[in-house]
Amino acid sequence: MGSQVLQTLRQGVWASLTGGWYHDPEQNKFNNSCHLYLWIFLLMLPLSLHLALPPNTVALGIYCSSVTIFFIFIKTVNYRLHMMFDNEEIVSQQSISDTAKGRDKNSMSSDPCFSTYDEWNFYISSLILLQEEDSIDETSDSTVPEKPAHKHHYKFWVFPGKWIRVLYDRLTLLALLDRNQEVVENTVAVCLAFLVAFLGFVLLNQGCFKDLWLFQFCLVIASCQYSLLKSVQPDAASPTHGHNQIIAYSRPAYFCIFCCLIWLLELALKQENLPVTSVYGVRLISSEHHFIFFCFTASTCCFPVIFLLGLLPQINTFFIYLLEQIDTHFFGGTAVTGLASAFYSLLRSLTAAAVLYGFCFGALKEPWDEQHIPALFSAFCGLLVVFSYHLSRQSSEPSVLISLLQSKLFPNFKGCSGDDDLALDDGDPLAEHLRNSVKDILSSDLVVCVAAAVLTFAISASTVFLSLKPFVSIVLYTLAGTVGFVTHYLIPQLRKHHPWFWISHPILKSKEYKQYEPKDNAQLMWFERLYVCLLFFEKYTIYPAVILSALTSDGFALSQRKKLGIHCDALVMTVAGLKLLRSSFCNPTFQFVTLLFTIVFFEFDYRKTSETFLIDFFVMSILWDLLHKLQFIMVYIAPWQIAWGSAFHAFAQPFAIPHSGMLLFQAFVTTLFYTPLSPFLGSAIFISSYPRSVKFWERDYNTKRIDNSNSRLASQIEKDPGCDDNNLNSIFYEYLTRSLQQSLCGDLLLGRWGNYSSGDCFILASDYLNAFVHLIEIGNGLVTFQLRGLEFRGTYCQQREVEAITEGVEDDEACCCCEPGHLPYILSCNAAFYLRWLAWEVTTTKYLLEGYSISENNAATMLQVYDLRKLLISYYLKSIIYYFLHSPKLRAWIKELSVLESLQLYSKWHYIERDPAVFSVKIDEDYIHCLQGITRASFCNIYLEWIQYCAPVEVDEDSPLVTLCFALCVLGRRSLATASHNVSNSLESFLYGYNSLFKGDFRIAVKDEWVFADMDLLQQVVAPAVRMSLKLHQDHFTCLEETEEPEVLYEAISNYEKTLVICHEGDPTWRRAVLSNRENLLTLRHIVDDGTDEYKIIMLYKRHLSFKVIKINKECVRGLWAGQQQELVFLRNRNPERGSIQNSKQALRNMINSSCDQPLGYPMYVSPLTTSYMGTHKQLRAIFGGPISLDNIKSFFLSKCNTSCNSPGNIEDVDCGGGSSSLSNNPNSQESQNVSSQARSRNSHHRGNEYHSAGI
């Protein structure tokens, strides 16, 4: 423990303060000395030049050129050395004394590498060897005779044909300097070093830092440059374990950004004639305000502390966060999924704003009266609605759109179009579904945008908003508040599991609420229809009218009197209108609260500070997450329900009480910058983390399921790939992701998950599935989410939290310390108090999704008795006969001469197959005890009737078909015995061998090598027979006597071939079958986990699964995730029972922390970012119809025309058509079945003639 603390202090705390330098006792003196002198050189060079030389361009040029040449030299040598290690061969030699003795001999060598550069070669090798001799123990006894030690060196080519020895190894070089693998990385490092030197020395020359701050600023410069040579690993802001290359560039990149801002502010504050502009009484630009300048300079000097606390993310995360915040707060976006997505989203928003700005600027140039609105302004309003609607309908991830364009424009081109992100197998329809959804959206937008532009232009040009100026605004505000209150507060509260945390049951219940096991899809209720109609009315009518009214009023006022200047006024109107309208289209859940608060605050409380309604509404829509943070803090540190996970938690609890004021300040600041507030080591002390995007995690971690398609053949043969439960069960979460992709967006619009917003987190809990759903992007008709599947059988802490979310509080009758009971349908006082102090709430108790129910049986129990094993072998052989006789290659196998010659021995009646390790009277029905084996006669005595029933023609005992069946049955049993290690009496060996055959591992004996004439005999006959026998053996327990009849058995096998998928879980067919919605699946699973070694028969039945939907405070999730990352990556707490993952029922701490990306958490499955579209929801399509496209409009009018044309005189024809359609399930279906059965009999008769002609 002590060594780990010291290591954390050295490599974490001290290295963060210095930029990466620390003394490592595990390294040699040479490396530690180089690190120390490098850091001192980088610190003293700018300080000495600034103090010795005047602040002019000469000093700046000397410093920048020195740093640049120094970094170019070091990076070049480091890069060349690593190339040498990669490409050159190791040359062995003896110790350095031997090298000195052979110096004269080498100088006389004919090799030019030694003739000219021998002396230089020797001295360089000697100097480089010093670092190795430093590690020799200085106290070693000098009297011990020295043994000749073999050393290795590399050839470092200085010039063509000239090289020197390098007695250095790769690991020591990596400990000395970080490796830059590409030339681009070295170039970026040199450029950043130059920029740090240039900008830092410019600020020194400007006199921004004096006295002690001068030395501190030079220390910051040295730390930023040193991190480019040897970075802090791990850094407090590093999201992953191990070496993080991006962290090396983060510190100098932030330094350059801050120095540029300081330089610009310093130049701006020196200007005398600055425009005086104030918003809400605060001057935006003033020469008297140096507070911002001081904040930036102080922050730059405090870089070591800032990076120690991890308050700034790595540079790519910062750009994702910055671009997302700009797109969200200024242009109405919701979230992005990566750096490319952030640039794409911001670029399209800027393009739309640029187009709108031109129209708005033209409309505001000249003043206009109330009776006439300029056409440019009406066009601006129309385009604003069009752009806002279209942008709200598009996802921030362009991969599907690019894939659609590529499939339409370049169908034969296969490049990086984004389909790689989908990572779909053959037969998986998800990619095509996504492209069709995007295509429907684009087709619909083409029609809707044209209609909306024309309608908006007409309404704006009618001057209705100016002529009815005070009254239209009052009516619109009242309507928006009323509809918003009913839609987003009253109806969701009535549908909650505990409305207002007082009522014990939901008032508006779904039809499935009281059903124990629903069989059908969720029924569409009347209040769901009302909810979605009110939502669409609010989204597409009320808020566009409110915003257009505000735009018209403010535009009229600004045309008369410019407030910020015409350019700023036009820009503010454009940005505010685009943001408000687009966010209303995306998710208007909290818009009515923001609207009412804006009206009350600026109309009654601070009327004089109002900056027009549009700007007021725009500013108030930004401040929202503070309430979530405060609720999380109060719930987490409440003393009556604190869950101490360790002794440190109990120690930290009292010390957190005096810092409540500081905690409130932290909550406000972190809300302003959208930063998680995390409990330190899971305790009651909260610290701020670095800002993150809504997606939270920097890397795209997706679970890769292990199966036969991505594992080595050796691992498939020796052991089951991914034989642990978590890997095998992850397919159920993958299927759950696909189900949510089809229905999630529609269910959210129907209000089945309650109120939601971007970044919200939910848990779907059922009997065995516990899925964590993270909503990332909320668009207009689309939702991007990520699902994280938790373990089926979790830890003790997880089970306690699962019990907390599944058990009800309706039976609680306590009030304080007594139990007076409660009123009917009302919760008790204790239950109501308990529900209010939780960071989660149950929103829905019966949420239905398509899934698979799992039934498992222990194979050892079903095969414990010898008679049951004998029954399994009998079904195995009958299945071999069935698949052989029904194979389309049967005729070719009969004519195969090599096979017939190899099987001549099996055609003799006196031939006895004796092998005690294979055949036994205990498991073989055709075993003859007196002969100690099986014969053709005994085989025919048991299986000839089955052969004759399955054969396409009549056969007798001497038929070649019987010979082949007999040989295949012997082969099948011998393969089973070989896989069982020839121990047929042991149940464990029998199950091991049967599982090997089930997954396709056949070990063919020498006697059975005839089967290699055609491998389809194994793949199409024996392998499916092994799997079918397992299902037939299961059916034996349900219908004991019926399976003995050939007719029943034949029909069962034929039916299972069509309706049942039987394969090993490592087979890619299993995954494709699950994702293709097959109704029934069967497999045999070998489980090796925690000392258990057992075989289970798994049966999957497709049905509707019932889930509880639990909504979690998103700030609680972000805080716990951030705390877990800092604890494991930076503080390196490897304790598996650490206090931060102990159960906490009020915050679900264990379930949240276990859902982190591996290795921070341990989820069974993490889905890729998946987008669900509204058009794939069947019930929403039933309400509103399909997309409004030109093709659908054309089809609608054509159908109406055809109906009107046929209605007068062709009523009987129409009725006949409808009647035939309605009766298709009874007589027509029976007739088609009769026709098909007659066709099958004719084909069978024709096939029989073919076999007769073949001589069978």
Side-chain angles (χ1 to χ4, degrees):
M1 181 65 183
S3 61
Q4 181 180 351
V5 172
L6 289 176
Q7 185 181 16
T8 303
L9 290 175
R10 280 195 304 265
Q11 299 183 15
V13 177
W14 180 254
S16 296
L17 293 174
T18 60
W21 170 69
Y22 66 96
H23 178 78
D24 191 354
E26 297 180 359
Q27 297 297 325
N28 53 55
K29 295 179 181 178
F30 179 79
N31 282 4
N32 286 321
S33 301
C34 286
H35 290 161
L36 176 61
Y37 292 138
L38 280 175
W39 193 82
I40 293 176
F41 170 75
L42 295 175
L43 171 63
M44 297 305 297
L45 182 61
L47 182 61
S48 59
L49 288 176
H50 178 70
L51 295 177
L53 298 178
N56 52 26
T57 309
V58 176
L60 177 64
I62 294 174
Y63 176 57
C64 293
S65 59
S66 302
V67 170
T68 305
I69 294 172
F70 178 73
F71 269 83
I72 289 175
F73 175 76
I74 290 183
K75 290 296 180 180
T76 303
V77 173
N78 188 27
Y79 180 72
R80 288 288 308 280
L81 287 174
H82 279 290
M83 286 185 62
M84 177 193 67
F85 290 138
D86 293 336
N87 302 325
E88 294 295 329
E89 295 182 357
I90 301 177
V91 180
S92 299
Q93 69 173 23
Q94 288 187 350
S95 65
I96 188 169
S97 60
D98 299 329
T99 305
K101 292 177 182 179
R103 181 160 49 104
D104 296 335
K105 182 179 178 181
N106 290 336
S107 63
M108 298 174 62
S109 175
S110 60
D111 190 349
C113 296
F114 289 94
S115 58
T116 307
Y117 275 74
D118 180 68
E119 292 292 333
W120 170 254
N121 187 10
F122 169 71
Y123 287 118
I124 292 296
S125 61
S126 301
L127 288 173
I128 299 180
L129 185 62
L130 288 176
Q131 62 86 20
E132 293 190 0
E133 293 185 350
D134 284 338
S135 62
I136 300 176
D137 189 4
E138 296 178 355
T139 62
S140 61
D141 190 4
S142 60
T143 61
V144 178
E146 182 180 358
K147 296 181 180 180
H150 289 282
K151 296 186 179 297
H152 305 283
H153 71 267
Y154 293 85
K155 295 180 180 180
F156 185 79
W157 295 90
V158 182
F159 302 106
K162 309 299 178 183
W163 56 271
I164 61 175
R165 293 187 184 95
V166 174
L167 298 173
Y168 216 63
D169 60 273
R170 185 193 297 274
L171 294 179
T172 311
L173 180 60
L174 287 174
L176 178 63
L177 296 171
D178 288 342
R179 181 182 183 182
N180 299 111
Q181 296 183 351
E182 302 294 338
V183 178
V184 177
E185 295 180 7
N186 290 284
T187 306
V188 171
V190 173
C191 293
L192 283 176
F194 170 77
L195 288 175
V196 169
F198 175 77
L199 294 173
F201 211 80
V202 164
L203 294 186
L204 290 177
N205 289 341
Q206 295 290 336
C208 298
F209 302 94
K210 297 178 181 180
D211 300 329
L212 183 62
W213 295 109
L214 176 64
F215 178 80
Q216 176 65 22
F217 187 69
C218 292
L219 189 146
V220 172
I221 294 175
S223 65
C224 294
Q225 291 175 343
Y226 187 85
S227 66
L228 294 170
L229 300 175
K230 188 64 179 176
S231 58
V232 184
Q233 300 292 342
D235 191 79
S238 178
T240 58
H241 286 281
H243 184 80
N244 188 353
Q245 187 65 32
I246 303 178
I247 285 295
Y249 305 111
S250 297
R251 194 179 296 232
Y254 280 118
F255 181 85
C256 295
I257 294 173
F258 274 65
C259 286
C260 289
L261 293 176
I262 293 172
W263 194 8
L264 293 176
L265 284 172
E266 199 265 343
L267 294 177
L269 291 176
K270 289 181 179 180
Q271 300 294 326
E272 297 180 356
N273 299 323
L274 290 176
V276 179
T277 303
S278 63
V279 176
Y280 296 111
V282 179
R283 289 187 178 183
L284 298 181
I285 302 176
S286 175
S287 58
E288 299 176 357
H289 291 170
H290 295 270
F291 179 72
I292 300 177
F293 178 80
F294 173 76
C295 289
F296 277 107
T297 54
S299 300
T300 306
C301 291
C302 294
F303 260 26
V305 178
I306 290 175
F307 283 99
L308 172 62
L309 299 178
L311 299 180
L312 290 176
Q314 60 184 24
I315 193 63
N316 61 335
T317 304
F318 172 75
F319 280 115
I320 295 174
Y321 158 80
L322 179 64
L323 297 178
E324 182 187 71
Q325 293 298 306
I326 293 174
D327 191 47
T328 301
H329 295 306
F330 291 95
F331 301 105
T334 53
V336 297
T337 59
L339 189 58
S341 171
F343 276 109
Y344 167 75
S345 299
L346 187 60
L347 180 61
R348 66 182 185 182
S349 299
L350 289 174
T351 304
V355 175
L356 293 171
Y357 173 80
F359 285 88
C360 185
F361 178 79
L364 297 181
K365 285 180 65 176
E366 300 295 335
W368 32 285
D369 54 28
E370 295 183 359
Q371 304 301 323
H372 174 71
I373 295 179
L376 277 178
F377 187 81
S378 300
F380 163 75
C381 294
L383 289 177
L384 179 65
V385 173
V386 168
F387 283 138
S388 301
Y389 177 79
H390 180 69
L391 290 177
S392 68
R393 298 261 290 169
Q394 298 298 313
S395 173
S396 63
E397 176 57 48
S399 58
V400 181
L401 180 61
I402 295 174
S403 175
L404 175 64
L405 295 177
Q406 176 186 310
S407 63
K408 298 299 181 182
L409 301 178
F410 310 101
N412 298 324
F413 176 74
K414 296 181 179 179
C416 298
S417 61
D419 283 349
D420 295 339
D421 298 336
L422 302 176
L424 304 174
D425 295 339
D426 294 336
D428 193 345
L430 178 59
E432 191 62 29
H433 286 336
L434 294 176
R435 283 192 288 264
N436 291 335
S437 298
V438 174
K439 179 183 175 182
D440 291 341
I441 288 176
L442 295 177
S443 302
S444 176
D445 287 357
L446 180 62
V447 178
V448 173
C449 288
V450 173
V454 174
L455 183 61
T456 306
F457 183 89
I459 294 176
S460 176
S462 65
T463 67
V464 63
F465 296 120
L466 291 180
S467 58
L468 304 175
K469 191 171 183 180
F471 305 102
V472 68
S473 300
I474 295 174
V475 171
L476 289 176
Y477 299 159
T478 305
L479 188 61
T482 304
V483 173
F485 176 80
V486 173
T487 307
H488 303 296
Y489 180 76
L490 186 60
I491 295 179
Q493 283 290 344
L494 295 176
R495 296 180 64 179
K496 277 186 179 180
H497 184 54
H498 297 298
W500 291 284
F501 297 126
W502 275 113
I503 304 176
S504 59
H505 298 285
I507 298 175
L508 299 178
K509 302 176 183 178
S510 63
K511 187 177 180 180
E512 302 81 20
Y513 180 77
K514 294 185 178 180
Q515 296 180 5
Y516 176 71
E517 196 172 297
K519 302 296 183 182
D520 300 324
N521 292 324
Q523 299 296 317
L524 190 62
M525 306 301 292
W526 65 268
F527 49 84
E528 292 177 340
R529 291 178 180 270
L530 175 63
Y531 177 85
V532 73
C533 290
L534 288 176
L535 178 66
F536 278 44
F537 175 68
E538 176 190 38
K539 177 189 297 189
Y540 296 130
T541 304
I542 296 179
Y543 282 113
V546 170
I547 296 167
L548 289 176
S549 174
L551 280 172
T552 306
S553 301
D554 294 349
F556 173 74
L558 292 175
S559 68
Q560 303 294 330
R561 183 179 63 86
K562 306 299 185 291
K563 183 175 180 57
L564 303 175
I566 184 169
H567 296 282
C568 292
D569 290 340
L571 180 62
V572 169
M573 281 193 62
T574 301
V575 171
L578 183 62
K579 192 265 180 184
L580 294 174
L581 200 54
R582 183 180 172 186
S583 59
S584 299
F585 284 140
C586 288
N587 186 21
T589 303
F590 303 106
Q591 289 287 80
F592 83 99
V593 180
T594 307
L595 177 65
L596 296 180
F597 185 77
T598 302
I599 294 172
V600 172
F601 189 83
F602 287 103
E603 291 293 332
F604 298 98
D605 295 334
Y606 294 91
R607 186 182 183 90
K608 295 182 180 180
T609 60
S610 176
E611 298 285 347
T612 71
F613 172 78
L614 191 67
I615 300 178
D616 298 340
F617 194 17
F618 172 76
V619 172
M620 286 298 173
S621 63
I622 297 178
L623 305 175
W624 250 112
D625 293 324
L626 181 61
L627 296 178
H628 297 290
K629 256 189 186 61
L630 293 177
Q631 184 201 15
F632 164 52
I633 294 171
M634 290 187 292
V635 166
Y636 195 83
I637 66 175
W640 56 85
Q641 60 181 6
I642 188 70
W644 291 340
S646 64
F648 175 73
H649 290 184
F651 172 79
Q653 179 74 20
F655 288 90
I657 298 175
H659 299 85
S660 56
M662 182 64 185
L663 188 58
L664 181 62
F665 175 75
Q666 277 185 297
F668 179 78
V669 174
T670 53
T671 302
L672 189 63
F673 293 100
Y674 198 65
T675 301
L677 193 61
S678 59
F680 181 69
L681 299 179
S683 66
I685 299 176
F686 285 81
I687 60 175
S688 175
S689 181
Y690 61 85
R692 294 171 171 87
S693 61
V694 175
K695 180 179 170 246
F696 191 87
W697 299 105
E698 281 88 341
R699 68 189 186 114
D700 294 326
Y701 173 82
N702 301 325
T703 302
K704 302 298 182 183
R705 189 174 184 268
I706 303 174
D707 56 21
N708 294 348
S709 64
N710 54 18
S711 58
R712 295 179 179 272
L713 180 61
S715 65
Q716 300 174 26
I717 294 175
E718 297 299 330
K719 63 178 182 178
D720 294 340
C723 60
D724 60 303
D725 265 359
N726 287 350
N727 177 71
L728 299 176
N729 292 331
S730 64
I731 186 65
F732 302 112
Y733 286 116
E734 187 174 3
Y735 182 80
L736 189 63
T737 304
R738 300 299 177 87
S739 297
L740 285 174
Q741 193 275 330
Q742 295 290 324
S743 61
L744 178 60
C745 183
D747 289 337
L748 289 174
L749 292 175
L750 289 172
R752 291 173 179 172
W753 286 39
N755 291 331
Y756 62 94
S757 62
S758 178
D760 279 351
C761 300
F762 297 85
I763 288 181
L764 300 181
S766 69
D767 296 334
Y768 55 90
L769 292 175
N770 294 292
F772 190 96
V773 181
H774 184 200
L775 303 183
I776 297 175
E777 182 182 8
I778 307 295
N780 184 12
L782 61 91
V783 174
T784 300
F785 68 96
Q786 188 173 43
L787 184 139
R788 299 169 179 270
L790 305 183
E791 291 178 316
F792 280 15
R793 294 187 295 270
T795 60
Y796 171 82
C797 294
Q798 180 178 327
Q799 292 303 317
R800 300 291 74 77
E801 293 180 354
V802 170
E803 292 174 2
I805 62 179
T806 53
E807 65 186 9
V809 295
E810 294 82 6
D811 298 331
D812 189 353
E813 298 182 352
C815 178
C816 294
C817 302
C818 54
E819 295 186 359
H822 56 81
L823 297 175
Y825 305 106
I826 301 297
L827 294 174
S828 66
C829 293
N830 282 12
F833 181 81
Y834 170 76
L835 291 178
R836 281 168 169 79
W837 285 91
L838 295 176
W840 52 272
E841 61 174 327
V842 180
T843 59
T844 306
T845 54
K846 285 287 185 178
Y847 178 67
L848 300 185
L849 276 177
E850 284 189 352
Y852 286 98
S853 64
I854 307 173
S855 66
E856 58 180 31
N857 297 311
N858 197 329
T861 305
M862 302 181 67
L863 296 172
Q864 185 71 40
V865 185
Y866 281 114
D867 290 340
L868 295 178
R869 278 183 253 174
K870 180 186 291 185
L871 182 65
L872 179 64
I873 296 297
S874 175
Y875 285 137
Y876 175 34
L877 301 183
K878 289 181 178 181
S879 299
I880 289 177
I881 295 170
Y882 173 87
Y883 283 107
F884 173 70
L885 296 176
H886 283 76
S887 175
K889 301 182 68 175
L890 177 61
R891 183 177 180 182
W893 289 335
I894 294 298
K895 291 183 177 181
E896 186 68 36
L897 297 179
S898 60
V899 174
L900 295 177
E901 290 176 0
S902 303
L903 300 181
Q904 288 182 0
L905 196 61
Y906 290 95
S907 62
K908 298 178 181 179
W909 287 89
H910 62 274
Y911 174 72
I912 304 174
E913 186 69 44
R914 291 191 182 95
D915 193 344
V918 178
F919 307 102
S920 172
V921 68
K922 297 178 181 179
I923 60 175
D924 293 305
E925 283 189 296
D926 52 351
Y927 187 86
I928 301 177
H929 187 69
C930 60
L931 299 178
Q932 297 297 312
I934 62 173
T935 63
R936 183 186 178 102
S938 64
F939 175 79
C940 292
N941 186 38
I942 301 298
Y943 299 105
L944 181 61
E945 181 184 1
W946 175 248
I947 295 174
Q948 291 174 343
Y949 187 84
C950 296
V953 295
E954 295 183 2
V955 296
D956 54 11
E957 296 178 349
D958 297 323
S959 173
L961 283 177
V962 177
T963 304
L964 271 170
C965 289
F966 178 47
L968 283 171
C969 290
V970 172
L971 179 146
R973 283 184 277 195
R974 187 176 285 119
S975 300
L976 178 59
T978 304
S980 304
H981 305 296
N982 295 323
V983 185
S984 59
N985 293 329
S986 172
L987 176 61
E988 290 78 9
S989 298
F990 181 83
L991 287 173
Y992 179 84
Y994 189 80
N995 179 67
S996 299
L997 297 188
F998 193 89
K999 66 181 182 180
D1001 180 15
F1002 288 90
R1003 309 294 175 93
I1004 303 302
V1006 178
K1007 295 181 180 180
D1008 301 323
E1009 289 183 352
W1010 58 269
V1011 77
F1012 293 140
D1014 192 345
M1015 290 300 295
D1016 287 340
L1017 286 168
L1018 283 177
Q1019 298 174 359
Q1020 298 181 7
V1021 176
V1022 183
V1026 175
R1027 297 163 181 173
M1028 183 59 70
S1029 62
L1030 184 65
K1031 177 58 180 172
L1032 297 176
H1033 187 267
Q1034 274 200 313
D1035 291 348
H1036 173 77
F1037 294 96
T1038 56
C1039 46
L1040 181 61
E1041 298 179 356
E1042 294 182 1
T1043 54
E1044 301 296 332
E1045 300 295 330
E1047 297 85 358
V1048 177
L1049 185 60
Y1050 184 89
E1051 184 179 355
I1053 298 177
S1054 302
N1055 185 37
Y1056 291 147
E1057 270 192 301
K1058 302 174 184 177
T1059 61
L1060 183 64
V1061 176
I1062 311 175
C1063 65
H1064 190 259
E1065 288 178 287
D1067 193 338
T1069 306
W1070 177 264
R1071 179 176 180 270
R1072 286 196 295 267
V1074 171
L1075 299 182
S1076 300
N1077 298 325
R1078 296 298 296 269
E1079 294 291 335
N1080 301 307
L1081 298 95
L1082 179 70
T1083 189
L1084 179 64
R1085 177 183 293 183
H1086 183 201
I1087 300 175
V1088 182
D1089 188 20
D1090 294 335
T1092 61
D1093 188 354
E1094 57 185 2
Y1095 297 86
K1096 289 187 177 182
I1097 302 172
I1098 308 294
M1099 188 73 187
L1100 304 185
Y1101 302 94
K1102 187 180 176 183
R1103 68 179 182 89
H1104 289 85
L1105 302 180
S1106 178
F1107 290 90
K1108 268 190 174 182
V1109 180
I1110 296 95
K1111 183 178 181 180
I1112 313 176
N1113 187 327
K1114 61 182 179 182
E1115 291 301 326
C1116 173
V1117 175
R1118 288 169 58 86
L1120 292 176
W1121 276 353
Q1124 196 71 5
Q1125 175 180 314
Q1126 184 189 47
E1127 181 179 0
L1128 291 181
V1129 176
F1130 181 63
L1131 300 179
R1132 310 180 190 187
N1133 187 357
R1134 300 181 180 91
N1135 183 10
E1137 296 299 329
R1138 56 191 179 275
S1140 60
I1141 60 172
Q1142 302 303 313
N1143 73 85
S1144 175
K1145 295 183 179 181
Q1146 75 272 16
L1148 303 181
R1149 181 170 58 193
N1150 181 269
M1151 298 183 72
I1152 293 173
N1153 286 337
S1154 63
S1155 66
C1156 297
D1157 284 350
Q1158 291 185 0
L1160 304 181
Y1162 37 90
M1164 287 173 51
Y1165 175 76
V1166 178
S1167 74
L1169 298 181
T1170 307
T1171 303
S1172 174
Y1173 293 93
M1174 180 182 66
T1176 58
H1177 198 277
K1178 297 180 180 179
Q1179 293 175 336
L1180 275 181
R1181 292 176 71 96
I1183 297 176
F1184 299 104
I1188 307 174
S1189 61
L1190 295 176
D1191 293 336
N1192 290 344
I1193 294 173
K1194 180 180 178 181
S1195 301
F1196 174 77
F1197 282 109
L1198 287 178
S1199 62
K1200 290 295 183 181
C1201 292
N1202 292 335
T1203 303
S1204 61
C1205 293
N1206 294 332
S1207 57
N1210 299 326
I1211 298 179
E1212 296 181 359
D1213 296 339
V1214 174
D1215 291 342
C1216 289
S1220 63
S1221 176
S1222 61
L1223 296 176
S1224 61
N1225 293 329
N1226 295 321
N1228 294 340
S1229 174
Q1230 185 68 30
E1231 182 180 355
S1232 64
Q1233 291 178 2
N1234 294 335
V1235 172
S1236 61
S1237 62
Q1238 292 174 9
R1240 283 198 302 269
S1241 63
R1242 288 196 299 269
N1243 294 335
S1244 177
H1245 179 70
H1246 178 67
R1247 185 182 178 190
N1249 293 336
E1250 289 182 352
Y1251 286 121
H1252 278 300
S1253 63
I1256 300 177

